[in-house]
Amino acid sequence: MSPIVQVEHLGKQYNAPNGPMAVKDVSFEIQKGEIFSLLGPNGAGKTTTISMLSCLLQPTSGTILIDGHSVTKEPKQVKQVIGVVPQDIALYPTMTAQENLLFWGKMYGLSGKHLQDRISKVLTIADLADRANDKVETFSGGMKRRINIAVGLLHDPKVVYFDEPTVGIDPQSRRRILDSIKQLNTHGISVLYTTHYMEEAQELSHKIGIIDHGELIAVGSQEQLTQLVGQHDLVQFEIDPTAANLDATLSALKVINDVDQVTSSPEENLITVQTRNTNAILPQLISQMTETGTPIKSLTIKAPNLESVFLHLTGRALRD
Amino acid sequence: MKALTIAWKDTLIRFRDINALLLMILAPLVISGIMGAAFGNQSATPTISDIPLIVVNQDQGVLGQRFIEALNAGELADLLEPTIMTDAEAAKDLVETGEVRAVVLIPSDFSASLETTQTNDAGQQPAKIMVYTDPAARITPTIVRSVVTEIANVFSNTAIASEITVAQIVEQLGGNNPALANLEPALNQSLPSLTAAQPSAQVQARVISSTSANLDPIAFFAPSMAIFFLMFTMFDGTRSLLVEQINGTMSRLKSTPTGIGQILIGKLLGTFLTGSAQFVCLVVSSSLIFGLDWGDSIAGLALMLVAFVAAATGLGSVITAFSRDLPQANLLGSMITLLFGFLGGNFFMIENFPQWLQILSKLTVNRWGLDGFSDLTVRGLGIQDVFLEAGVLLGIALVCFTLAAWRLPRRFAR
């Protein structure tokens, strides 16, 4: 299987030569028919990377080939084979869904019956055929997201980039979007998906690239990535928000034998402990938290997953 | 083709926006109506006096001098401020530079013609008093022409002249013109005193550049407000480039196989189309609601429309191209719209401005637009008479689009 996307040593420096490096030496491949997720926290460089792959930003270094075409030398050919679903709702709200699709279809060079057929098809995919003649401004957030996706599919692209398409929408709409991406993939469309939701990356992806501070720190299937962590579980405590001495609790947990990492997320009232010997140290963890005045509201033990991988590789929780 | 699609999309969006329609169509009509009604009330409006004009007397006899005395008689002396010159060409130059409103040229055969006509020589050509007027001014040249015409009539026929009433003159000038508030007492006093002393003779007074005068205030304010609010539309249209950038649709457009040149041309063309449609709506509406006559020259109106909308679009594109961000473009656009509106004479008669301000006003597209549209509507001139104004506006458009073509692709390409 030949790659539809080839990225080699990609770099982007804003305001060169002294500006910050938003993307540093990133390399990965997406095979035809594959769903590849770029997983990382906000500000990790996901959108910058996708912008360079969409011919919207000029790379500072490295090469990108899409279906064999260079994004810098053959942008027009590249744009014919990619579909872009931006993070923002990039639509005209006072136009109807049908009018928006008609306009964007023409921008992709479609016309006539072929365009009408494609509009009908993507409206069906978006499950919005019955709202085609309603103005987009009357749609819910989830419906807008789905039309936003439909626009990216109009010209039947070989690879579609989804830039955090589920941000800020309700669980039902998120489920529809994830299902429609999987459905697309069954038709052979390759997908580049960026997200900071570990669960989405796990559910969708054939391959995952973990990106942080502009660097791709690990690439592989979910199984390959979790192997990096070994048999480390994540023990997650939901704590009382009134906990008096969180710092003392964290310090006390870190010195317990077999504890590898301890992180906290005060906004979510979570303390996460990474350990390879959960059963043995669990009583100590609970007693230390009690002694340091941090009441426990609930406790979750997670087998190694992408969050463990991120914690293992960066020393930080994915949501930090 | 994609540029046309973008242009049509923008026009559609604009004309679906109720708030935009209020600003584009309703506001100029309402304000024109209010201003027209307000300035139609003479007692509440300012008056005109001391209109500067030059009289060149080439007459070999004595009647030329009498004519000059008539211009200075009674309260006409307050209305007119004639200066005597001998060099006709130099006098015309002063009109062209806008330093005086009009030149009255009394021909060398003025007295002879009157005397010959008095002896009933049928072969004698009537004397022609020439009046050269500043094409940039609208009210005062009309007053000068009317006064000169009426005095010439007095010279030509005492019997007729003795029946001249001020009402006739005022009627000629358009009864509702606020600028004529002090003309009536001036002529009432001056004309009767002339009639007794003049010989009875046939004189044809011919006025150069004379046209039918239509000085309904609506005829001034409707084009003025159309121009003023058109500027808002033009600036808003070009600013939509920045709005698309903020909303993410610009990035999406650029991610399609559509060149940045096509995108920018489409956006500017959309602004142009919107402005043109707005102006056509205003012309039709003001004709239907106020019965305003936009002149006989459809071609002239079309030329001025294209030229003005192009110039305003060009100006808007330059503001967008060189503004740091949308708030700055909004601020600059509003400032320029208001400044040009006031300076360009959209709210006040330009001839009431001091001389230096009148010259300064020619830096605005509003002034050139107003002059052109006034030529067509107030003076009823044809397309050939607005070539200068249209040419200047198209020149401004060319310069602006050149600057924008240099800057905009750099700004929006990456």
Side-chain angles (χ1 to χ4, degrees), chain A residues 198-317:
Chain A
M198 176 200 69
E199 302 82 3
E200 291 182 2
Q202 284 184 166
E203 179 181 340
L204 286 177
S205 316
H206 298 107
K207 213 191 292 179
I208 297 161
I210 297 179
I211 188 167
D212 187 42
H213 294 311
E215 291 182 83
L216 198 62
I217 53 180
V219 183
S221 64
Q222 192 182 338
E223 294 73 28
Q224 288 169 328
L225 290 173
T226 49
Q227 280 173 12
L228 294 173
V229 189
Q231 289 306 309
H232 290 68
D233 290 338
L234 286 183
V235 183
Q236 214 157 50
F237 296 98
E238 186 188 359
I239 58 170
D240 193 310
T242 59
N245 201 350
L246 191 59
D247 289 340
T249 304
L250 295 175
S251 301
L253 295 178
K254 280 177 185 171
V255 297
I256 297 172
N257 278 343
D258 289 336
V259 167
D260 296 323
Q261 304 260 12
V262 180
T263 60
S264 68
S265 176
E267 311 84 52
E268 296 175 87
N269 303 313
L270 285 178
I271 291 177
T272 306
V273 176
Q274 190 173 36
T275 175
R276 69 181 66 199
N277 201 356
T278 307
N279 291 339
I281 69 165
L282 193 55
Q284 289 181 69
L285 291 173
I286 294 169
S287 77
Q288 282 296 337
M289 290 186 69
T290 309
E291 284 172 21
T292 53
T294 304
I296 300 166
K297 290 177 73 178
S298 68
L299 168 63
T300 311
I301 300 171
K302 293 180 178 175
N305 60 17
L306 290 175
E307 193 173 358
S308 331
V309 175
F310 192 84
L311 187 65
H312 176 74
L313 293 173
T314 66
R316 291 180 290 111

Side-chain angles (χ1 to χ4, degrees), chain A residues 55-58 79 84 86 90 92 94-95 99 103-104 106-108 148 151-152, chain B residues 2 5-6 9 12-13 16 244 247-249 251-258 414:
Chain A
C55 311
L56 295 176
L57 269 181
Q58 191 79 30
K79 288 173 182 179
V84 180
Y92 299 104
T94 56
M95 290 164 64
E99 287 169 341
F103 172 76
W104 289 109
K106 286 178 179 175
M107 290 300 102
Y108 279 109
N148 204 36
V151 169
Chain B
K2 286 182 181 176
T5 304
I6 294 169
K9 179 263 297 174
L12 196 69
I13 287 174
R16 277 186 182 172
E244 293 230 30
N247 292 346
T249 44
S251 287
R252 181 162 234 169
L253 275 169
K254 290 191 295 178
S255 75
T256 68
T258 308
R414 288 289 174 186

Side-chain angles (χ1 to χ4, degrees), chain A residues 78-79 81-85 108 152-153 155 157-162:
Chain A
V78 168
K79 288 173 182 179
V81 297
I82 63 168
V84 180
V85 180
Y108 279 109
L153 306 176
H155 59 301
K158 290 183 179 177
V159 57
V160 184
Y161 307 155
F162 291 89

Side-chain angles (χ1 to χ4, degrees), chain B residues 177-337:
Chain B
N177 181 17
L180 303 179
N182 63 341
L183 184 58
E184 184 169 335
L187 290 180
N188 267 334
Q189 183 171 356
S190 304
L191 290 175
S193 65
L194 296 171
T195 57
Q198 307 312 321
S200 175
Q202 188 74 34
V203 176
Q204 180 183 350
R206 186 171 172 185
V207 181
I208 304 301
S209 81
S210 70
T211 57
S212 60
N214 173 12
L215 292 174
D216 181 351
I218 290 288
F220 167 73
F221 284 113
S224 286
M225 291 301 107
I227 285 170
F228 181 69
F229 283 93
L230 200 63
M231 292 286 280
F232 273 113
T233 308
M234 298 298 92
F235 287 176
D236 207 42
T238 49
R239 274 199 303 263
S240 71
L241 275 165
L242 297 171
V243 173
E244 293 230 30
Q245 196 174 35
I246 289 169
N247 292 346
T249 44
M250 178 58 78
S251 287
R252 181 162 234 169
L253 275 169
K254 290 191 295 178
S255 75
T256 68
T258 308
I260 187 69
Q262 285 176 297
I263 295 171
L264 293 174
I265 289 170
K267 293 294 296 176
L268 297 183
L269 194 60
T271 307
F272 181 86
L273 275 180
T274 306
S276 302
Q278 177 188 356
F279 206 92
V280 170
C281 285
L282 286 172
V283 169
V284 173
S285 311
S286 58
S287 299
L288 293 175
I289 298 170
F290 304 122
L292 178 60
D293 181 6
W294 283 80
D296 300 324
S297 176
I298 301 292
L301 207 54
L303 175 65
M304 277 306 299
L305 187 154
V306 167
F308 183 78
V309 175
T313 307
L315 206 56
S317 65
V318 167
I319 291 171
T320 298
F322 289 93
S323 292
R324 189 178 58 244
D325 49 26
L326 184 62
Q328 190 180 55
N330 285 335
L331 182 70
L332 280 175
S334 300
M335 276 173 57
I336 289 174
T337 302

Side-chain angles (χ1 to χ4, degrees), chain A:
Chain A
M1 208 161 43
S2 59
I4 185 89
V5 176
Q6 282 179 283
V7 178
E8 289 184 1
H9 307 295
L10 184 65
K12 178 65 188 177
Q13 183 176 27
Y14 289 110
N15 304 317
N18 302 317
M21 286 295 293
V23 173
K24 303 170 200 167
D25 198 27
V26 166
S27 299
F28 63 90
E29 286 183 352
I30 304 175
Q31 303 299 323
K32 283 180 181 167
E34 194 173 62
I35 299 179
F36 182 97
S37 288
L38 266 181
L39 175 68
N42 292 329
K46 302 187 295 291
T47 299
T48 301
T49 302
I50 225 168
S51 295
M52 288 188 282
L53 267 67
S54 310
C55 311
L56 295 176
L57 269 181
Q58 191 79 30
T60 309
S61 58
T63 57
I64 305 169
L65 295 180
I66 311 291
D67 200 28
H69 301 291
S70 162
V71 295
T72 51
K73 293 172 187 163
E74 304 163 283
K76 200 164 182 177
Q77 287 87 334
V78 168
K79 288 173 182 179
Q80 295 284 3
V81 297
I82 63 168
V84 180
V85 180
Q87 193 170 344
D88 301 317
I89 307 292
L91 300 168
Y92 299 104
T94 56
M95 290 164 64
T96 66
Q98 173 88 15
E99 287 169 341
N100 265 285
L101 292 167
L102 202 61
F103 172 76
W104 289 109
K106 286 178 179 175
M107 290 300 102
Y108 279 109
L110 309 181
S111 60
K113 187 174 182 307
H114 179 54
L115 175 56
Q116 290 299 338
D117 290 345
R118 288 301 304 167
I119 288 173
S120 299
K121 178 139 190 169
V122 297
L123 278 170
T124 305
I125 292 171
D127 198 14
L128 285 169
D130 57 332
R131 299 291 303 269
N133 293 317
D134 291 344
K135 287 183 179 176
V136 169
E137 65 188 357
T138 65
F139 287 4
S140 68
M143 289 159 76
K144 286 177 187 170
R145 286 269 174 210
R146 276 142 56 198
I147 285 291
N148 204 36
I149 291 171
V151 169
L153 306 176
L154 265 172
H155 59 301
D156 200 11
K158 290 183 179 177
V159 57
V160 184
Y161 307 155
F162 291 89
D163 190 8
E164 308 214 38
T166 58
V167 170
I169 59 170
D170 59 276
Q172 194 181 2
S173 293
R174 173 187 288 203
R175 172 51 39 210
R176 280 196 194 190
I177 288 171
L178 296 180
D179 287 346
S180 62
I181 291 171
K182 284 192 268 189
Q183 183 69 23
L184 281 176
N185 185 242
T186 61
H187 292 99
I189 295 175
S190 309
V191 172
L192 170 59
Y193 189 90
T194 74
T195 183
H196 61 270
Y197 296 125
M198 176 200 69
E199 302 82 3
E200 291 182 2
Q202 284 184 166
E203 179 181 340
L204 286 177
S205 316
H206 298 107
K207 213 191 292 179
I208 297 161
I210 297 179
I211 188 167
D212 187 42
H213 294 311
E215 291 182 83
L216 198 62
I217 53 180
V219 183
S221 64
Q222 192 182 338
E223 294 73 28
Q224 288 169 328
L225 290 173
T226 49
Q227 280 173 12
L228 294 173
V229 189
Q231 289 306 309
H232 290 68
D233 290 338
L234 286 183
V235 183
Q236 214 157 50
F237 296 98
E238 186 188 359
I239 58 170
D240 193 310
T242 59
N245 201 350
L246 191 59
D247 289 340
T249 304
L250 295 175
S251 301
L253 295 178
K254 280 177 185 171
V255 297
I256 297 172
N257 278 343
D258 289 336
V259 167
D260 296 323
Q261 304 260 12
V262 180
T263 60
S264 68
S265 176
E267 311 84 52
E268 296 175 87
N269 303 313
L270 285 178
I271 291 177
T272 306
V273 176
Q274 190 173 36
T275 175
R276 69 181 66 199
N277 201 356
T278 307
N279 291 339
I281 69 165
L282 193 55
Q284 289 181 69
L285 291 173
I286 294 169
S287 77
Q288 282 296 337
M289 290 186 69
T290 309
E291 284 172 21
T292 53
T294 304
I296 300 166
K297 290 177 73 178
S298 68
L299 168 63
T300 311
I301 300 171
K302 293 180 178 175
N305 60 17
L306 290 175
E307 193 173 358
S308 331
V309 175
F310 192 84
L311 187 65
H312 176 74
L313 293 173
T314 66
R316 291 180 290 111
L318 189 54
R319 60 181 63 81
D320 287 350

Side-chain angles (χ1 to χ4, degrees), chain B residues 65-206:
Chain B
Q65 187 55 39
R66 289 273 184 85
F67 196 98
I68 294 171
E69 288 165 7
L71 285 172
N72 272 314
E75 288 188 20
L76 274 184
D78 294 332
L79 181 69
L80 305 175
E81 193 179 337
T83 305
I84 309 300
M85 280 184 69
T86 52
D87 185 345
E89 291 308 312
K92 287 181 203 170
D93 287 345
L94 290 174
V95 172
E96 284 177 11
T97 57
E99 291 178 50
V100 294
R101 289 280 167 265
V103 168
V104 178
L105 179 60
I106 304 170
S108 58
D109 61 346
F110 182 64
S111 293
S113 172
L114 284 168
E115 286 159 5
T116 308
T117 311
Q118 212 171 11
T119 58
N120 295 321
D121 182 352
Q124 177 67 34
Q125 289 291 314
K128 294 177 183 174
I129 295 175
M130 316 292 267
V131 179
Y132 298 92
T133 60
D134 178 2
R138 287 184 291 279
I139 306 297
T140 48
T142 312
I143 295 172
V144 171
R145 281 199 304 267
S146 296
V147 170
V148 168
T149 303
E150 294 310 324
I151 294 173
N153 285 340
V154 170
F155 275 79
S156 69
N157 190 326
T158 306
I160 295 171
S162 62
E163 292 171 8
I164 289 174
T165 65
V166 172
Q168 286 174 305
I169 297 173
V170 172
E171 188 181 341
Q172 269 193 3
L173 292 170
N176 292 327
N177 181 17
L180 303 179
N182 63 341
L183 184 58
E184 184 169 335
L187 290 180
N188 267 334
Q189 183 171 356
S190 304
L191 290 175
S193 65
L194 296 171
T195 57
Q198 307 312 321
S200 175
Q202 188 74 34
V203 176
Q204 180 183 350
R206 186 171 172 185

Side-chain angles (χ1 to χ4, degrees), chain B residues 314-396:
Chain B
L315 206 56
S317 65
V318 167
I319 291 171
T320 298
F322 289 93
S323 292
R324 189 178 58 244
D325 49 26
L326 184 62
Q328 190 180 55
N330 285 335
L331 182 70
L332 280 175
S334 300
M335 276 173 57
I336 289 174
T337 302
L338 289 171
L339 181 68
F340 277 25
F342 282 101
L343 187 58
N346 289 140
F347 296 96
F348 310 105
M349 306 279 184
I350 287 170
E351 47 261 46
N352 292 340
F353 287 8
Q355 195 61 39
W356 64 270
L357 204 55
Q358 289 189 35
I359 294 168
L360 202 61
S361 74
K362 290 186 177 177
L363 292 174
T364 69
V365 293
N366 302 47
R367 168 72 191 271
W368 290 100
L370 198 54
D371 284 354
F373 285 116
S374 295
D375 279 348
L376 300 169
T377 57
V378 177
R379 299 181 206 170
L381 298 179
I383 187 171
Q384 69 281 0
D385 298 300
V386 294
F387 281 158
L388 173 66
E389 289 85 354
V392 170
L393 288 170
L394 289 172
I396 290 170

